[in-house]
Amino acid sequence: MKTHQNYCIQKSRLVFSVLLCFLFFSMMQAQKKRQIKEAVPLDSIRLSDPAILADKKTNMYYMTGTGGLLWKSKDLKSWSGPYEITKTNPNSWMGPNPMIWAAELHFYKNKYYDFATFTNRDKIIDKVDDISIERRASHILVSDKAEGPYVPMKDDTYLPANKPTLDGTFWIDKDGKPYMIYCYEWLQNGNGTIEKIELKPNLSGSVGEGKLLFKASESPWSREKDANGNDKPNKVTDGPYLFKTGTGRLGMIWTSWIYDVYTQGVAYSKSGTLDGPWIQEKEPITPPNFGHGMLFQTFEGKWLMSVHSHKKVDNKTVRIPKLFEVDLSGDKLVVLKPYLNK
């Protein structure tokens, strides 16, 4: 009897020890996730597709991008983060642990919206040339605060489940209606496109079907080699972002490649609406190896472009946020010089 009691006591202690270890590990993981860095210079942050919201309500700059995390700054120089702000539904098509790409925040009708791309690597929607196409789509989350948390709205799906889409952004067109502008990925169609879809008034879902704006092959500046080694326009469309010039002209920056060089160009709408036609500028607008840009105005009124650099360091791809001053006062977007906030 005593032996049995000792066994039970030892077993209870073992279970208790395992539980303590589990709780300790869980606490350490939680602390690790919540570890916030302070006074981080912008060029010390590793981040793809940086998008910055200048929030007048809090007088704070909020930066997010691929990964879906958030950084905060009062002066664009010193940043704190990263903060976890995204709460998705594990029972939705995204699954319990989706990849998050190219998140960007928008303030609209007194709410904050997170336009982001989510990928469920466990769901394969197609196979093209032995490449498995994962379930990936642009989506919108909402919050009452710029810092989040951002949560899904009513509709589970904004874009077709059988198409890989990415890099959704926001625009209110001349008809007063809200739209998502996004890329239909080249992996499936062989010639990436930029498209638009109308959104419900509260952005809780989409209306109708997507409409083509232009194809990657319309770019006069992008380049790649075909199977025979001949030049042709690159097939990639990436990172669209809409803006208006000082004269009211509607423009769009977007990114592709010149061989292995990440490059950003610009197109302008002849009609002044999303329907175009879109006329591509002949030359890129940013230095080599910069792209996926967006535009925002500082609290002092200066227009800046946020992009990331794209380079190899020790055979690893490194992407670092970078700011450029831009001039929008005329008929075209002009990129001036790197922005240094000293």
Side-chain angles (χ1 to χ4, degrees):
M1 183 72 176
K2 190 172 183 181
T3 302
H4 178 70
Q5 287 177 335
N6 287 339
Y7 171 76
C8 290
I9 292 171
Q10 289 175 0
K11 185 177 179 181
S12 298
R13 287 174 177 171
L14 178 62
V15 171
F16 183 67
S17 297
V18 170
L19 283 173
L20 278 179
C21 288
F22 176 76
L23 289 172
F24 177 75
F25 179 77
S26 299
M27 289 174 62
M28 290 299 292
Q29 287 296 103
Q31 288 176 0
K32 185 178 179 181
K33 286 183 179 179
R34 291 194 297 268
Q35 185 178 7
I36 303 301
K37 301 175 183 178
E38 300 289 345
V40 182
L42 185 63
D43 60 6
S44 294
I45 298 173
R46 300 297 179 261
L47 180 66
S48 302
D49 317 323
I52 296 175
L53 171 70
D55 183 46
K56 293 181 180 179
K57 276 192 170 186
T58 57
N59 200 38
M60 183 80 72
Y61 297 102
Y62 297 96
M63 179 172 66
T64 186
T66 287
L69 301 175
L70 185 75
W71 292 82
K72 301 190 300 185
S73 176
K74 284 284 189 182
D75 58 8
L76 296 173
K77 179 182 178 183
S78 179
W79 295 82
S80 68
Y83 302 89
E84 294 186 15
I85 61 169
T86 307
K87 294 185 179 297
T88 56
N89 178 5
N91 298 317
S92 71
W93 66 265
M94 298 178 190
N97 189 31
M99 296 174 67
I100 305 176
W101 295 354
E104 56 182 54
L105 305 181
H106 295 271
F107 182 68
Y108 179 65
K109 291 187 175 179
N110 213 35
K111 285 187 177 293
Y112 296 88
Y113 294 91
D114 187 347
F115 283 62
T117 301
F118 298 89
T119 301
N120 185 340
R121 307 201 72 179
D122 294 327
K123 287 192 176 183
I124 305 301
I125 62 171
D126 199 359
K127 198 167 186 177
V128 180
D129 296 330
D130 293 326
I131 297 175
S132 294
I133 310 297
E134 299 161 342
R135 180 74 190 275
R136 174 163 43 253
S138 295
H139 203 82
I140 306 172
L141 309 180
V142 66
S143 178
D144 291 323
K145 299 179 180 179
E147 295 185 19
Y150 288 86
V151 298
M153 289 185 281
K154 182 179 178 181
D155 288 7
D156 276 342
T157 304
Y158 283 78
L159 296 164
N162 62 346
K163 293 182 177 181
T165 58
L166 67 160
D167 294 354
T169 190
F170 185 45
W171 190 252
I172 306 296
D173 210 7
K174 279 189 174 180
D175 59 8
K177 296 178 180 179
Y179 291 87
M180 181 195 289
I181 295 84
Y182 61 93
C183 299
Y184 172 25
E185 196 170 24
W186 65 272
L187 285 172
Q188 187 180 56
N189 63 22
N191 185 6
T193 65
I194 292 181
E195 305 183 1
K196 72 165 187 176
I197 194 166
E198 184 182 339
L199 299 172
K200 294 179 180 179
N202 65 353
L203 312 191
S204 64
S206 58
V207 179
E209 298 180 349
K211 180 178 179 181
L212 173 69
L213 302 186
F214 61 83
K215 299 179 179 180
S217 58
E218 296 175 36
S219 163
W221 48 264
S222 71
R223 293 285 183 275
E224 65 174 302
K225 297 288 186 181
D226 65 16
N228 298 316
N230 299 313
D231 271 10
K232 68 172 186 176
N234 200 284
K235 55 184 171 290
V236 174
T237 49
D238 185 66
Y241 197 87
L242 285 296
F243 64 92
K244 276 195 175 181
T245 67
T247 60
R249 194 180 186 193
L250 177 62
M252 181 196 303
I253 51 177
W254 66 284
T255 300
S256 190
W257 296 82
I258 299 178
Y259 307 119
D260 62 345
V261 178
Y262 198 57
T263 305
Q264 183 172 249
V266 63
Y268 293 96
S269 170
K270 193 172 181 179
S271 67
T273 70
L274 289 174
D275 289 329
W278 288 89
I279 311 302
Q280 306 289 333
E281 292 286 280
K282 292 182 179 179
E283 300 295 333
I285 60 166
T286 45
N289 286 314
F290 287 97
H292 200 114
M294 58 81 61
L295 302 168
F296 70 98
Q297 201 167 17
T298 68
F299 297 126
E300 295 74 36
K302 186 185 292 291
W303 278 101
L304 300 180
M305 174 186 288
S306 173
V307 294
H308 72 250
S309 63
H310 189 102
K311 61 183 179 179
K312 291 280 188 180
V313 178
D314 297 329
N315 290 322
K316 293 182 179 179
T317 300
V318 177
R319 297 181 176 99
I320 302 171
K322 182 78 171 181
L323 301 179
F324 285 90
E325 294 183 22
V326 299
D327 181 6
L328 285 173
S329 62
D331 199 42
K332 290 186 176 183
L333 166 66
V334 179
V335 180
L336 301 175
K337 60 182 180 180
Y339 177 72
L340 301 175
N341 191 350
K342 295 182 179 180

